[in-house]
Amino acid sequence: MNFFIAPVEFSNVSVLHSIVKNISGIFKDKVSVISLPVNTAAAFSRDRGQYFSTQLIADAIKLTSGYDGKVLMLVEFDLFVPVFTYVFGEAQLNGKHSIVSVCRLHEEFYSGKTNDKLFIDRTIKEILHELGHNMGLIHCRSWDCVMHSSQGVEEIDIKGQFYCPDCMEILSNNGFKDSFVALPAD
Ligand SMILES: [Zn+2]
Ligand SMILES: [Zn+2]
């Protein structure tokens, strides 16, 4: 399965590099970074000061017919969907597109202290989580599973960093058995 990461207005090159390196170690197939000219201004809510993730995904759908595989947008700005105060990301169930925001994954957002390892770990978990939805997984009750839903960042930290055996079986049944080489590095 091809996996395309599309950084959108993503300024931190070293973070992007680190994320791609980590993700590349998990997937068997090549992970590619692509450029997508999504219309972010159209997704911005002036009232909320945030970007509407569903709108960004709708825009990405129009731009990615040429890509055969999963396409994940990676952004630094804060995302929302109307019923929630914020979201870490959004994905199409059994679809091609997803989006993850790193805005609220920075430890300094909470404690004021930088923790790069924690930040990258959280980002990888959320990428695998949204991608899991793309591959047909719904939320999992197991705290050991990356598909456990996270209302807050502390719940991202508690949950496991990969798919649990039950979710792996579903992935396998959905044709993604050979997509992964390894668990995320500790
Ligand atoms: Zn989810
Ligand atoms: Zn699971």
Side-chain angles (χ1 to χ4, degrees):
M1 180 193 71
N2 296 312
F3 188 32
F4 302 97
I5 295 180
V8 175
E9 293 173 15
F10 203 91
S11 62
N12 195 327
V13 176
S14 78
V15 160
L16 179 64
H17 182 78
S18 186
I19 291 165
V20 172
K21 191 169 165 243
N22 269 270
I23 291 289
S24 297
I26 299 169
F27 282 86
K28 255 185 205 158
D29 292 320
K30 187 165 155 39
V31 177
S32 312
V33 176
I34 61 169
S35 164
L36 276 191
V38 288
N39 186 351
T40 53
F44 184 68
S45 161
R46 203 176 292 226
D47 291 348
R48 303 182 57 133
Q50 295 168 302
Y51 292 76
F52 183 17
S53 56
T54 313
Q55 168 112 31
L56 291 166
I57 287 179
D59 204 31
I61 290 169
K62 295 186 219 149
L63 300 167
T64 50
S65 57
Y67 293 103
D68 178 23
K70 306 298 184 194
V71 178
L72 178 134
M73 286 178 282
L74 196 62
V75 302
E76 287 171 322
F77 47 69
D78 205 18
L79 297 174
F80 77 97
V81 293
V83 290
F84 292 116
T85 312
Y86 67 89
V87 289
F88 293 117
E90 185 182 343
Q92 298 177 295
L93 186 63
N94 280 308
K96 178 172 172 178
H97 298 86
S98 63
I99 185 167
V100 166
S101 165
V102 301
C103 177
R104 293 172 189 262
L105 303 180
H106 289 282
E107 181 55 20
E108 54 266 38
F109 191 95
Y110 306 93
S111 66
K113 293 192 190 112
T114 301
N115 185 332
D116 289 339
K117 183 183 180 310
L118 197 51
F119 170 66
I120 296 294
D121 282 355
R122 288 169 177 169
T123 305
I124 301 303
K125 282 181 182 178
E126 289 315 283
I127 289 174
L128 291 177
H129 180 97
E130 299 306 346
L131 189 67
H133 287 314
N134 279 169
M135 296 186 293
L137 296 178
I138 54 168
H139 287 154
C140 182
R141 292 170 67 172
S142 167
W143 278 103
D144 292 332
C145 183
V146 79
M147 291 312 295
H148 200 282
S149 81
S150 309
Q151 309 301 327
V153 78
E154 52 290 323
E155 293 183 350
I156 297 178
D157 292 341
I158 292 168
K159 74 180 175 182
Q161 54 178 349
F162 204 60
Y163 309 103
C164 73
D166 289 347
C167 286
M168 270 317 270
E169 194 178 321
I170 296 167
L171 290 183
S172 182
N173 292 337
N174 291 355
F176 298 104
K177 182 171 181 267
D178 296 322
S179 294
F180 305 96
V181 272
L183 304 176
D186 222 1

